[in-house]
Every structure is written in structure tokens, then in C-alpha cells.
Amino acid sequence: MHKIFDSKQELATYFGEYLLNKTKEKPDLNIALSGGSTPKVIFEVLARDFEKSIDWTKIRFFWGDERCVLPTNPESNFGMTREHLFDHVKTRAINIFRVKGELDPQEAVKAYSATINDNVPHVNHIPQFDIMLLGMGDDGHTASIFPHQIKLWDSNNICELAQHPETGQVRVSLTGKVINNSKEIIFLVTGANKAEKVDEIFNKKNNYQQYPAALVNMNKATWLLDKEAAESL
Ligand code: 6PG
């Protein structure tokens, strides 16, 4: 399913209402956040318009992927979330389960896998997040599973170490089995540079299954798109 919005702000407001309703249905939501630039706008709208209406202390925050950097590094997804959301709403520190990007990457992936195993309920013997937030890169990657490492999607592990194809940046990423085991998956995709891949994935064009984003269970996924990203649909 997909919904198209005239602006990122409208998309963010829709997501805020969705999250508010989810927190009313289930007070201790386990959510895996996406990173990159799109969530910044979403988090700013959530902080501005949903600070009081959502009980942020009840949400348990995880990440779908994280760069192996210090939490204070501008590249950090946790750092971005803290700047644009956590610094503006009342959360509970014990409900924030960040990837320890400051550790040696092998240690970070082991520690985060243990954190998820210990704190996220299992269904089908796999951790099940209530909400999985995903973005999509203009190369069709999602979380930090990139096309050149698409085999990581099918890993039997909860998390894998991945590498950005251009920068070589090492990242910790959830794998396909955890992503597709989520109760609900929400794609937040904005910008004209995503339109081609959105079209290819939605219309099963060309070699669309080379894109990790195309391997996400479409029956569970709701794509929230701005009109630029949806211009070819
Ligand atoms: C990350 C993300 C990544 C992101 C896409 C889209 O750590 O970068 O998790 O998967 O969602 O790259 O990023 P934008 O929304 O910034 O285009």
C-alpha cells in the first residue's frame, strides 16, 4: 500500500497521527528508526506537533541501521535523532537502545544483536518489531543493505556489518529476516531522486529485485511518498 503527500510536512503529520494511534493501541511500542536526511524533517514535525500528545516515555527506540561512528559524529543516526527529536520530547533513557557505533564494528554488531535479542519479543523465533521505519536510497538500498552486498539481506543473523559502496563507511544493519518479521513496515521516501527506483519496484520493471528495498515484504509495507518520489507512478 502507498500514500502520496504534497509535502514532507504533510507526510510527517500523517506519520505522527499514525504513531499516536499506535501508542494508544500498545503502550510499549518497539520501533526501529531509519536514518539519513528524510527522518530529520519527520522528527522535527513530531517534536513540534506531537510533543505533548504522544507519551514518548512509553516508546522503545531502536535503529534499523547505524553508522560505525561516535554518537556525537554528524553521521550518527542516533545523534541525528537526538538532535531532531529526543532533545525536544520526554523519553525514557532506558527505552533508547542505540547501536554503540563507538565500539569496534565487530563488537558493535555483536552487542546490538544481543540488545535486540534481549529486549524485543520473538515471533517465529525472530525478534519482532512493532514498527519498522525504513528509508530508501536512490540506489535502492534500505537500512544499510546496499545492492552490491544484497546477499546480506538473506543472512541468518539479526544484524550484519555492511559498507557504503562509495564512502566505504562501515555500518551495522538489520537483516531481511528481522525487517520482514516486523508487525508493520513504514517506508518514508521523499525526493525526485527516488522516483525511478519507486517506479521500478512498484511496477516490477527491469531488474528491480537487485534493489534491497524491493525485497521488503510489500504485503506488510506502507510506503509514505511525497509527490516528487511518486512522480513516475
Ligand atoms: C541511513 C539510512 C538509509 C536511508 C536511505 C535514505 O542510515 O542512511 O538508514 O537507509 O534511509 O539512505 O536516506 P535519505 O532519506 O536521506 O534519502
Side-chain angles (χ1 to χ4, degrees), residues 8 33-40 63-67 75-77 133-139 141-146 164 169 171-172 188-190 193-194:
K8 288 185 183 175
L33 301 176
S34 60
S37 58
T38 298
K40 282 181 195 166
W63 279 262
D65 67 314
E66 180 59 281
R67 294 81 181 277
E75 280 286 301
S76 166
N77 286 334
L133 269 198
L134 293 175
M136 183 186 73
D138 56 14
D139 61 355
H141 81 261
T142 193
S144 278
I145 310 279
F146 292 89
H164 192 283
Q169 184 185 61
R171 301 182 173 192
V172 174
L188 306 171
V189 179
T190 61
N193 63 324
K194 313 292 175 74

PDB file of all heavy atoms in Angstrom, residues 8 33-40 63-67 75-77 133-139 141-146 164 169 171-172 188-190 193-194, ligand 1:
ATOM      1  N   LYS A   8       6.717  17.008   2.507  1.00  0.00           N
ATOM      2  CA  LYS A   8       7.299  16.207   3.601  1.00  0.00           C
ATOM      3  C   LYS A   8       6.547  16.492   4.902  1.00  0.00           C
ATOM      4  O   LYS A   8       6.350  15.605   5.720  1.00  0.00           O
ATOM      5  CB  LYS A   8       8.786  16.576   3.772  1.00  0.00           C
ATOM      6  CG  LYS A   8       9.698  16.080   2.681  1.00  0.00           C
ATOM      7  CD  LYS A   8      11.165  16.399   3.028  1.00  0.00           C
ATOM      8  CE  LYS A   8      12.084  15.959   1.898  1.00  0.00           C
ATOM      9  NZ  LYS A   8      13.490  16.359   2.138  1.00  0.00           N
ATOM     10  N   LEU A  33      14.026   2.807  14.038  1.00  0.00           N
ATOM     11  CA  LEU A  33      14.028   4.052  13.259  1.00  0.00           C
ATOM     12  C   LEU A  33      14.973   3.948  12.065  1.00  0.00           C
ATOM     13  O   LEU A  33      15.974   3.233  12.106  1.00  0.00           O
ATOM     14  CB  LEU A  33      14.468   5.219  14.149  1.00  0.00           C
ATOM     15  CG  LEU A  33      13.624   5.500  15.402  1.00  0.00           C
ATOM     16  CD1 LEU A  33      14.258   6.624  16.212  1.00  0.00           C
ATOM     17  CD2 LEU A  33      12.194   5.830  15.033  1.00  0.00           C
ATOM     18  N   SER A  34      14.664   4.700  11.029  1.00  0.00           N
ATOM     19  CA  SER A  34      15.596   4.788   9.897  1.00  0.00           C
ATOM     20  C   SER A  34      16.465   6.031  10.085  1.00  0.00           C
ATOM     21  O   SER A  34      16.210   6.873  10.953  1.00  0.00           O
ATOM     22  CB  SER A  34      14.823   4.888   8.579  1.00  0.00           C
ATOM     23  OG  SER A  34      14.003   6.041   8.569  1.00  0.00           O
ATOM     24  N   GLY A  35      17.476   6.116   9.263  1.00  0.00           N
ATOM     25  CA  GLY A  35      18.409   7.239   9.375  1.00  0.00           C
ATOM     26  C   GLY A  35      18.420   8.052   8.095  1.00  0.00           C
ATOM     27  O   GLY A  35      17.465   8.017   7.326  1.00  0.00           O
ATOM     28  N   GLY A  36      19.495   8.776   7.893  1.00  0.00           N
ATOM     29  CA  GLY A  36      19.601   9.617   6.693  1.00  0.00           C
ATOM     30  C   GLY A  36      18.927  10.962   6.912  1.00  0.00           C
ATOM     31  O   GLY A  36      18.688  11.385   8.048  1.00  0.00           O
ATOM     32  N   SER A  37      18.575  11.641   5.791  1.00  0.00           N
ATOM     33  CA  SER A  37      18.064  13.013   5.920  1.00  0.00           C
ATOM     34  C   SER A  37      16.540  13.105   5.991  1.00  0.00           C
ATOM     35  O   SER A  37      16.004  14.006   6.633  1.00  0.00           O
ATOM     36  CB  SER A  37      18.575  13.853   4.746  1.00  0.00           C
ATOM     37  OG  SER A  37      18.151  13.243   3.536  1.00  0.00           O
ATOM     38  N   THR A  38      15.826  12.178   5.332  1.00  0.00           N
ATOM     39  CA  THR A  38      14.350  12.270   5.356  1.00  0.00           C
ATOM     40  C   THR A  38      13.784  12.294   6.770  1.00  0.00           C
ATOM     41  O   THR A  38      12.948  13.141   7.098  1.00  0.00           O
ATOM     42  CB  THR A  38      13.718  11.136   4.523  1.00  0.00           C
ATOM     43  OG1 THR A  38      14.136  11.276   3.169  1.00  0.00           O
ATOM     44  CG2 THR A  38      12.208  11.150   4.601  1.00  0.00           C
ATOM     45  N   PRO A  39      14.267  11.397   7.659  1.00  0.00           N
ATOM     46  CA  PRO A  39      13.678  11.398   9.011  1.00  0.00           C
ATOM     47  C   PRO A  39      13.861  12.729   9.757  1.00  0.00           C
ATOM     48  O   PRO A  39      13.048  13.041  10.634  1.00  0.00           O
ATOM     49  CB  PRO A  39      14.402  10.266   9.727  1.00  0.00           C
ATOM     50  CG  PRO A  39      14.935   9.393   8.666  1.00  0.00           C
ATOM     51  CD  PRO A  39      15.256  10.312   7.514  1.00  0.00           C
ATOM     52  N   LYS A  40      14.876  13.511   9.394  1.00  0.00           N
ATOM     53  CA  LYS A  40      15.103  14.780  10.122  1.00  0.00           C
ATOM     54  C   LYS A  40      13.830  15.631  10.106  1.00  0.00           C
ATOM     55  O   LYS A  40      13.364  16.108  11.141  1.00  0.00           O
ATOM     56  CB  LYS A  40      16.223  15.587   9.462  1.00  0.00           C
ATOM     57  CG  LYS A  40      17.617  15.101   9.779  1.00  0.00           C
ATOM     58  CD  LYS A  40      18.658  16.002   9.097  1.00  0.00           C
ATOM     59  CE  LYS A  40      20.016  15.284   9.112  1.00  0.00           C
ATOM     60  NZ  LYS A  40      20.999  15.895   8.205  1.00  0.00           N
ATOM     61  N   TRP A  63      17.226   1.169  16.161  1.00  0.00           N
ATOM     62  CA  TRP A  63      17.516   1.681  14.823  1.00  0.00           C
ATOM     63  C   TRP A  63      17.628   0.515  13.842  1.00  0.00           C
ATOM     64  O   TRP A  63      18.126  -0.564  14.208  1.00  0.00           O
ATOM     65  CB  TRP A  63      18.811   2.497  14.831  1.00  0.00           C
ATOM     66  CG  TRP A  63      18.556   3.910  15.327  1.00  0.00           C
ATOM     67  CD1 TRP A  63      18.366   5.033  14.587  1.00  0.00           C
ATOM     68  CD2 TRP A  63      18.406   4.305  16.695  1.00  0.00           C
ATOM     69  NE1 TRP A  63      18.110   6.118  15.408  1.00  0.00           N
ATOM     70  CE2 TRP A  63      18.121   5.696  16.700  1.00  0.00           C
ATOM     71  CE3 TRP A  63      18.482   3.644  17.920  1.00  0.00           C
ATOM     72  CZ2 TRP A  63      17.905   6.412  17.882  1.00  0.00           C
ATOM     73  CZ3 TRP A  63      18.261   4.361  19.102  1.00  0.00           C
ATOM     74  CH2 TRP A  63      17.980   5.715  19.068  1.00  0.00           C
ATOM     75  N   GLY A  64      17.176   0.760  12.609  1.00  0.00           N
ATOM     76  CA  GLY A  64      17.317  -0.272  11.577  1.00  0.00           C
ATOM     77  C   GLY A  64      18.754  -0.390  11.099  1.00  0.00           C
ATOM     78  O   GLY A  64      19.188  -1.433  10.615  1.00  0.00           O
ATOM     79  N   ASP A  65      19.479   0.705  11.249  1.00  0.00           N
ATOM     80  CA  ASP A  65      20.899   0.677  10.901  1.00  0.00           C
ATOM     81  C   ASP A  65      21.591   1.874  11.539  1.00  0.00           C
ATOM     82  O   ASP A  65      20.961   2.830  11.950  1.00  0.00           O
ATOM     83  CB  ASP A  65      21.110   0.682   9.382  1.00  0.00           C
ATOM     84  CG  ASP A  65      20.665   1.989   8.751  1.00  0.00           C
ATOM     85  OD1 ASP A  65      19.579   2.478   9.079  1.00  0.00           O
ATOM     86  OD2 ASP A  65      21.420   2.530   7.944  1.00  0.00           O
ATOM     87  N   GLU A  66      22.903   1.766  11.636  1.00  0.00           N
ATOM     88  CA  GLU A  66      23.670   2.843  12.251  1.00  0.00           C
ATOM     89  C   GLU A  66      25.067   2.842  11.640  1.00  0.00           C
ATOM     90  O   GLU A  66      25.612   1.780  11.289  1.00  0.00           O
ATOM     91  CB  GLU A  66      23.758   2.663  13.760  1.00  0.00           C
ATOM     92  CG  GLU A  66      24.552   3.741  14.512  1.00  0.00           C
ATOM     93  CD  GLU A  66      23.995   5.143  14.327  1.00  0.00           C
ATOM     94  OE1 GLU A  66      24.268   5.743  13.268  1.00  0.00           O
ATOM     95  OE2 GLU A  66      23.280   5.616  15.207  1.00  0.00           O
ATOM     96  N   ARG A  67      25.599   4.032  11.522  1.00  0.00           N
ATOM     97  CA  ARG A  67      26.970   4.138  11.030  1.00  0.00           C
ATOM     98  C   ARG A  67      27.917   3.857  12.187  1.00  0.00           C
ATOM     99  O   ARG A  67      27.640   4.196  13.331  1.00  0.00           O
ATOM    100  CB  ARG A  67      27.200   5.545  10.478  1.00  0.00           C
ATOM    101  CG  ARG A  67      26.357   5.861   9.228  1.00  0.00           C
ATOM    102  CD  ARG A  67      24.929   6.274   9.573  1.00  0.00           C
ATOM    103  NE  ARG A  67      24.085   6.571   8.442  1.00  0.00           N
ATOM    104  CZ  ARG A  67      24.052   7.733   7.807  1.00  0.00           C
ATOM    105  NH1 ARG A  67      24.873   8.680   8.178  1.00  0.00           N
ATOM    106  NH2 ARG A  67      23.248   7.936   6.780  1.00  0.00           N
ATOM    107  N   GLU A  75      27.432  12.065  11.342  1.00  0.00           N
ATOM    108  CA  GLU A  75      26.947  10.936  10.538  1.00  0.00           C
ATOM    109  C   GLU A  75      26.060   9.985  11.352  1.00  0.00           C
ATOM    110  O   GLU A  75      25.427   9.079  10.795  1.00  0.00           O
ATOM    111  CB  GLU A  75      28.158  10.143  10.008  1.00  0.00           C
ATOM    112  CG  GLU A  75      28.820  10.763   8.779  1.00  0.00           C
ATOM    113  CD  GLU A  75      27.951  10.553   7.537  1.00  0.00           C
ATOM    114  OE1 GLU A  75      27.677   9.390   7.205  1.00  0.00           O
ATOM    115  OE2 GLU A  75      27.525  11.560   6.943  1.00  0.00           O
ATOM    116  N   SER A  76      26.042  10.157  12.674  1.00  0.00           N
ATOM    117  CA  SER A  76      25.347   9.179  13.527  1.00  0.00           C
ATOM    118  C   SER A  76      23.827   9.296  13.400  1.00  0.00           C
ATOM    119  O   SER A  76      23.261  10.389  13.566  1.00  0.00           O
ATOM    120  CB  SER A  76      25.746   9.420  14.997  1.00  0.00           C
ATOM    121  OG  SER A  76      24.864   8.730  15.871  1.00  0.00           O
ATOM    122  N   ASN A  77      23.156   8.189  13.134  1.00  0.00           N
ATOM    123  CA  ASN A  77      21.688   8.203  13.080  1.00  0.00           C
ATOM    124  C   ASN A  77      21.100   8.460  14.472  1.00  0.00           C
ATOM    125  O   ASN A  77      20.097   9.167  14.614  1.00  0.00           O
ATOM    126  CB  ASN A  77      21.146   6.881  12.512  1.00  0.00           C
ATOM    127  CG  ASN A  77      21.357   6.770  11.016  1.00  0.00           C
ATOM    128  OD1 ASN A  77      21.456   7.779  10.316  1.00  0.00           O
ATOM    129  ND2 ASN A  77      21.456   5.551  10.517  1.00  0.00           N
ATOM    130  N   LEU A 133      10.677   1.400  10.630  1.00  0.00           N
ATOM    131  CA  LEU A 133      10.748   2.562   9.742  1.00  0.00           C
ATOM    132  C   LEU A 133      11.898   2.348   8.766  1.00  0.00           C
ATOM    133  O   LEU A 133      13.016   2.009   9.200  1.00  0.00           O
ATOM    134  CB  LEU A 133      11.055   3.821  10.543  1.00  0.00           C
ATOM    135  CG  LEU A 133       9.937   4.686  11.100  1.00  0.00           C
ATOM    136  CD1 LEU A 133      10.466   6.046  11.454  1.00  0.00           C
ATOM    137  CD2 LEU A 133       8.770   4.779  10.149  1.00  0.00           C
ATOM    138  N   LEU A 134      11.645   2.535   7.503  1.00  0.00           N
ATOM    139  CA  LEU A 134      12.714   2.357   6.514  1.00  0.00           C
ATOM    140  C   LEU A 134      12.757   3.563   5.595  1.00  0.00           C
ATOM    141  O   LEU A 134      11.731   4.188   5.312  1.00  0.00           O
ATOM    142  CB  LEU A 134      12.459   1.099   5.663  1.00  0.00           C
ATOM    143  CG  LEU A 134      12.532  -0.255   6.359  1.00  0.00           C
ATOM    144  CD1 LEU A 134      12.117  -1.356   5.378  1.00  0.00           C
ATOM    145  CD2 LEU A 134      13.929  -0.547   6.899  1.00  0.00           C
ATOM    146  N   GLY A 135      13.957   3.865   5.101  1.00  0.00           N
ATOM    147  CA  GLY A 135      14.095   4.820   4.004  1.00  0.00           C
ATOM    148  C   GLY A 135      14.561   4.010   2.790  1.00  0.00           C
ATOM    149  O   GLY A 135      14.750   2.796   2.875  1.00  0.00           O
ATOM    150  N   MET A 136      14.727   4.714   1.678  1.00  0.00           N
ATOM    151  CA  MET A 136      15.297   4.053   0.504  1.00  0.00           C
ATOM    152  C   MET A 136      16.278   5.012  -0.154  1.00  0.00           C
ATOM    153  O   MET A 136      15.944   6.177  -0.411  1.00  0.00           O
ATOM    154  CB  MET A 136      14.218   3.663  -0.521  1.00  0.00           C
ATOM    155  CG  MET A 136      14.798   2.899  -1.703  1.00  0.00           C
ATOM    156  SD  MET A 136      13.587   2.585  -3.013  1.00  0.00           S
ATOM    157  CE  MET A 136      13.413   4.230  -3.701  1.00  0.00           C
ATOM    158  N   GLY A 137      17.464   4.532  -0.407  1.00  0.00           N
ATOM    159  CA  GLY A 137      18.436   5.370  -1.106  1.00  0.00           C
ATOM    160  C   GLY A 137      18.123   5.422  -2.604  1.00  0.00           C
ATOM    161  O   GLY A 137      17.328   4.620  -3.114  1.00  0.00           O
ATOM    162  N   ASP A 138      18.748   6.362  -3.310  1.00  0.00           N
ATOM    163  CA  ASP A 138      18.454   6.471  -4.758  1.00  0.00           C
ATOM    164  C   ASP A 138      19.084   5.313  -5.550  1.00  0.00           C
ATOM    165  O   ASP A 138      18.880   5.191  -6.758  1.00  0.00           O
ATOM    166  CB  ASP A 138      18.887   7.841  -5.315  1.00  0.00           C
ATOM    167  CG  ASP A 138      20.362   8.136  -5.054  1.00  0.00           C
ATOM    168  OD1 ASP A 138      21.101   7.191  -4.682  1.00  0.00           O
ATOM    169  OD2 ASP A 138      20.758   9.300  -5.220  1.00  0.00           O
ATOM    170  N   ASP A 139      19.824   4.472  -4.829  1.00  0.00           N
ATOM    171  CA  ASP A 139      20.350   3.242  -5.481  1.00  0.00           C
ATOM    172  C   ASP A 139      19.482   2.029  -5.118  1.00  0.00           C
ATOM    173  O   ASP A 139      19.800   0.901  -5.466  1.00  0.00           O
ATOM    174  CB  ASP A 139      21.809   2.992  -5.049  1.00  0.00           C
ATOM    175  CG  ASP A 139      21.918   2.792  -3.529  1.00  0.00           C
ATOM    176  OD1 ASP A 139      20.884   2.937  -2.826  1.00  0.00           O
ATOM    177  OD2 ASP A 139      23.027   2.502  -3.046  1.00  0.00           O
ATOM    178  N   HIS A 141      18.914   1.008  -1.989  1.00  0.00           N
ATOM    179  CA  HIS A 141      19.249   0.358  -0.703  1.00  0.00           C
ATOM    180  C   HIS A 141      18.206   0.697   0.339  1.00  0.00           C
ATOM    181  O   HIS A 141      17.480   1.683   0.229  1.00  0.00           O
ATOM    182  CB  HIS A 141      20.663   0.751  -0.234  1.00  0.00           C
ATOM    183  CG  HIS A 141      20.770   2.072   0.455  1.00  0.00           C
ATOM    184  ND1 HIS A 141      21.185   3.227  -0.177  1.00  0.00           N
ATOM    185  CD2 HIS A 141      20.510   2.429   1.736  1.00  0.00           C
ATOM    186  CE1 HIS A 141      21.203   4.224   0.687  1.00  0.00           C
ATOM    187  NE2 HIS A 141      20.782   3.774   1.850  1.00  0.00           N
ATOM    188  N   THR A 142      18.135  -0.142   1.362  1.00  0.00           N
ATOM    189  CA  THR A 142      17.302   0.179   2.520  1.00  0.00           C
ATOM    190  C   THR A 142      18.019  -0.322   3.768  1.00  0.00           C
ATOM    191  O   THR A 142      18.874  -1.216   3.663  1.00  0.00           O
ATOM    192  CB  THR A 142      15.888  -0.423   2.417  1.00  0.00           C
ATOM    193  OG1 THR A 142      15.041   0.167   3.421  1.00  0.00           O
ATOM    194  CG2 THR A 142      15.898  -1.943   2.553  1.00  0.00           C
ATOM    195  N   ALA A 143      17.712   0.283   4.910  1.00  0.00           N
ATOM    196  CA  ALA A 143      18.552   0.142   6.098  1.00  0.00           C
ATOM    197  C   ALA A 143      19.972   0.406   5.592  1.00  0.00           C
ATOM    198  O   ALA A 143      20.194   1.392   4.886  1.00  0.00           O
ATOM    199  CB  ALA A 143      18.379  -1.227   6.751  1.00  0.00           C
ATOM    200  N   SER A 144      20.926  -0.490   5.881  1.00  0.00           N
ATOM    201  CA  SER A 144      22.234  -0.305   5.243  1.00  0.00           C
ATOM    202  C   SER A 144      22.604  -1.523   4.415  1.00  0.00           C
ATOM    203  O   SER A 144      23.770  -1.934   4.345  1.00  0.00           O
ATOM    204  CB  SER A 144      23.306   0.011   6.294  1.00  0.00           C
ATOM    205  OG  SER A 144      23.262   1.393   6.607  1.00  0.00           O
ATOM    206  N   ILE A 145      21.587  -2.103   3.800  1.00  0.00           N
ATOM    207  CA  ILE A 145      21.837  -3.192   2.850  1.00  0.00           C
ATOM    208  C   ILE A 145      21.858  -2.562   1.447  1.00  0.00           C
ATOM    209  O   ILE A 145      20.828  -2.086   0.956  1.00  0.00           O
ATOM    210  CB  ILE A 145      20.758  -4.293   2.910  1.00  0.00           C
ATOM    211  CG1 ILE A 145      20.521  -4.766   4.361  1.00  0.00           C
ATOM    212  CG2 ILE A 145      21.134  -5.461   1.985  1.00  0.00           C
ATOM    213  CD1 ILE A 145      21.488  -5.760   4.917  1.00  0.00           C
ATOM    214  N   PHE A 146      23.043  -2.535   0.856  1.00  0.00           N
ATOM    215  CA  PHE A 146      23.225  -1.895  -0.447  1.00  0.00           C
ATOM    216  C   PHE A 146      23.201  -2.949  -1.555  1.00  0.00           C
ATOM    217  O   PHE A 146      23.521  -4.117  -1.306  1.00  0.00           O
ATOM    218  CB  PHE A 146      24.552  -1.136  -0.460  1.00  0.00           C
ATOM    219  CG  PHE A 146      24.555   0.072   0.462  1.00  0.00           C
ATOM    220  CD1 PHE A 146      24.931  -0.063   1.795  1.00  0.00           C
ATOM    221  CD2 PHE A 146      24.165   1.320  -0.005  1.00  0.00           C
ATOM    222  CE1 PHE A 146      24.923   1.037   2.656  1.00  0.00           C
ATOM    223  CE2 PHE A 146      24.166   2.424   0.844  1.00  0.00           C
ATOM    224  CZ  PHE A 146      24.538   2.283   2.175  1.00  0.00           C
ATOM    225  N   HIS A 164      29.162   1.180   2.950  1.00  0.00           N
ATOM    226  CA  HIS A 164      28.639   2.090   1.928  1.00  0.00           C
ATOM    227  C   HIS A 164      29.483   1.938   0.648  1.00  0.00           C
ATOM    228  O   HIS A 164      30.711   1.939   0.726  1.00  0.00           O
ATOM    229  CB  HIS A 164      28.695   3.536   2.441  1.00  0.00           C
ATOM    230  CG  HIS A 164      27.929   4.490   1.579  1.00  0.00           C
ATOM    231  ND1 HIS A 164      28.435   4.931   0.370  1.00  0.00           N
ATOM    232  CD2 HIS A 164      26.706   5.048   1.712  1.00  0.00           C
ATOM    233  CE1 HIS A 164      27.548   5.739  -0.195  1.00  0.00           C
ATOM    234  NE2 HIS A 164      26.490   5.827   0.597  1.00  0.00           N
ATOM    235  N   GLN A 169      32.157   3.557   4.262  1.00  0.00           N
ATOM    236  CA  GLN A 169      31.775   3.667   5.673  1.00  0.00           C
ATOM    237  C   GLN A 169      31.172   2.360   6.173  1.00  0.00           C
ATOM    238  O   GLN A 169      30.283   1.788   5.507  1.00  0.00           O
ATOM    239  CB  GLN A 169      30.744   4.803   5.831  1.00  0.00           C
ATOM    240  CG  GLN A 169      30.334   5.092   7.266  1.00  0.00           C
ATOM    241  CD  GLN A 169      29.242   6.142   7.319  1.00  0.00           C
ATOM    242  OE1 GLN A 169      28.153   5.925   6.769  1.00  0.00           O
ATOM    243  NE2 GLN A 169      29.535   7.279   7.923  1.00  0.00           N
ATOM    244  N   ARG A 171      28.910   0.071   8.554  1.00  0.00           N
ATOM    245  CA  ARG A 171      27.630   0.280   9.229  1.00  0.00           C
ATOM    246  C   ARG A 171      27.117  -1.031   9.801  1.00  0.00           C
ATOM    247  O   ARG A 171      27.453  -2.108   9.303  1.00  0.00           O
ATOM    248  CB  ARG A 171      26.602   0.804   8.223  1.00  0.00           C
ATOM    249  CG  ARG A 171      27.021   2.120   7.577  1.00  0.00           C
ATOM    250  CD  ARG A 171      25.953   2.579   6.642  1.00  0.00           C
ATOM    251  NE  ARG A 171      26.174   3.916   6.094  1.00  0.00           N
ATOM    252  CZ  ARG A 171      25.238   4.589   5.442  1.00  0.00           C
ATOM    253  NH1 ARG A 171      24.048   4.060   5.272  1.00  0.00           N
ATOM    254  NH2 ARG A 171      25.476   5.789   4.963  1.00  0.00           N
ATOM    255  N   VAL A 172      26.276  -0.919  10.828  1.00  0.00           N
ATOM    256  CA  VAL A 172      25.540  -2.070  11.359  1.00  0.00           C
ATOM    257  C   VAL A 172      24.134  -1.989  10.783  1.00  0.00           C
ATOM    258  O   VAL A 172      23.522  -0.919  10.788  1.00  0.00           O
ATOM    259  CB  VAL A 172      25.473  -2.022  12.900  1.00  0.00           C
ATOM    260  CG1 VAL A 172      24.579  -3.139  13.448  1.00  0.00           C
ATOM    261  CG2 VAL A 172      26.882  -2.126  13.500  1.00  0.00           C
ATOM    262  N   LEU A 188       9.511   5.671   4.480  1.00  0.00           N
ATOM    263  CA  LEU A 188       9.432   7.136   4.362  1.00  0.00           C
ATOM    264  C   LEU A 188      10.363   7.512   3.216  1.00  0.00           C
ATOM    265  O   LEU A 188      11.579   7.465   3.368  1.00  0.00           O
ATOM    266  CB  LEU A 188       9.905   7.805   5.651  1.00  0.00           C
ATOM    267  CG  LEU A 188       9.226   7.373   6.956  1.00  0.00           C
ATOM    268  CD1 LEU A 188       9.963   7.972   8.148  1.00  0.00           C
ATOM    269  CD2 LEU A 188       7.765   7.757   6.973  1.00  0.00           C
ATOM    270  N   VAL A 189       9.760   7.822   2.037  1.00  0.00           N
ATOM    271  CA  VAL A 189      10.592   8.052   0.853  1.00  0.00           C
ATOM    272  C   VAL A 189      10.202   9.378   0.211  1.00  0.00           C
ATOM    273  O   VAL A 189       9.047   9.563  -0.205  1.00  0.00           O
ATOM    274  CB  VAL A 189      10.444   6.894  -0.156  1.00  0.00           C
ATOM    275  CG1 VAL A 189      11.298   7.133  -1.409  1.00  0.00           C
ATOM    276  CG2 VAL A 189      10.844   5.566   0.501  1.00  0.00           C
ATOM    277  N   THR A 190      11.170  10.276   0.131  1.00  0.00           N
ATOM    278  CA  THR A 190      10.873  11.605  -0.435  1.00  0.00           C
ATOM    279  C   THR A 190      11.977  12.015  -1.394  1.00  0.00           C
ATOM    280  O   THR A 190      13.113  11.538  -1.305  1.00  0.00           O
ATOM    281  CB  THR A 190      10.802  12.669   0.690  1.00  0.00           C
ATOM    282  OG1 THR A 190      12.077  12.733   1.337  1.00  0.00           O
ATOM    283  CG2 THR A 190       9.707  12.348   1.692  1.00  0.00           C
ATOM    284  N   ASN A 193      14.826  12.225  -6.602  1.00  0.00           N
ATOM    285  CA  ASN A 193      15.906  11.271  -6.913  1.00  0.00           C
ATOM    286  C   ASN A 193      15.523   9.824  -6.565  1.00  0.00           C
ATOM    287  O   ASN A 193      16.250   8.897  -6.891  1.00  0.00           O
ATOM    288  CB  ASN A 193      17.205  11.679  -6.185  1.00  0.00           C
ATOM    289  CG  ASN A 193      17.051  11.636  -4.671  1.00  0.00           C
ATOM    290  OD1 ASN A 193      15.991  11.957  -4.148  1.00  0.00           O
ATOM    291  ND2 ASN A 193      18.103  11.225  -3.972  1.00  0.00           N
ATOM    292  N   LYS A 194      14.393   9.647  -5.915  1.00  0.00           N
ATOM    293  CA  LYS A 194      13.930   8.274  -5.584  1.00  0.00           C
ATOM    294  C   LYS A 194      12.894   7.781  -6.599  1.00  0.00           C
ATOM    295  O   LYS A 194      12.541   6.587  -6.601  1.00  0.00           O
ATOM    296  CB  LYS A 194      13.291   8.263  -4.187  1.00  0.00           C
ATOM    297  CG  LYS A 194      14.080   8.971  -3.105  1.00  0.00           C
ATOM    298  CD  LYS A 194      15.372   8.259  -2.775  1.00  0.00           C
ATOM    299  CE  LYS A 194      16.216   9.033  -1.794  1.00  0.00           C
ATOM    300  NZ  LYS A 194      15.702   9.004  -0.419  1.00  0.00           N
TER     301      LYS A 194
HETATM  302  C1  6PG B   1      20.920   5.543   6.598  1.00  0.00           C
HETATM  303  C2  6PG B   1      19.535   5.047   6.365  1.00  0.00           C
HETATM  304  C3  6PG B   1      19.330   4.763   4.932  1.00  0.00           C
HETATM  305  C4  6PG B   1      18.415   5.858   4.465  1.00  0.00           C
HETATM  306  C5  6PG B   1      18.441   5.980   2.970  1.00  0.00           C
HETATM  307  C6  6PG B   1      17.588   7.165   2.518  1.00  0.00           C
HETATM  308  O1  6PG B   1      21.495   5.256   7.643  1.00  0.00           O
HETATM  309  O2  6PG B   1      21.375   6.299   5.717  1.00  0.00           O
HETATM  310  O3  6PG B   1      19.004   4.235   7.220  1.00  0.00           O
HETATM  311  O4  6PG B   1      18.771   3.525   4.619  1.00  0.00           O
HETATM  312  O5  6PG B   1      17.099   5.573   4.908  1.00  0.00           O
HETATM  313  O6  6PG B   1      19.790   6.198   2.590  1.00  0.00           O
HETATM  314  O7  6PG B   1      18.164   8.312   3.055  1.00  0.00           O
HETATM  315  P1  6PG B   1      17.504   9.744   2.770  1.00  0.00           P
HETATM  316  O8  6PG B   1      16.168   9.685   3.395  1.00  0.00           O
HETATM  317  O9  6PG B   1      18.448  10.686   3.427  1.00  0.00           O
HETATM  318  O10 6PG B   1      17.444   9.891   1.289  1.00  0.00           O
END
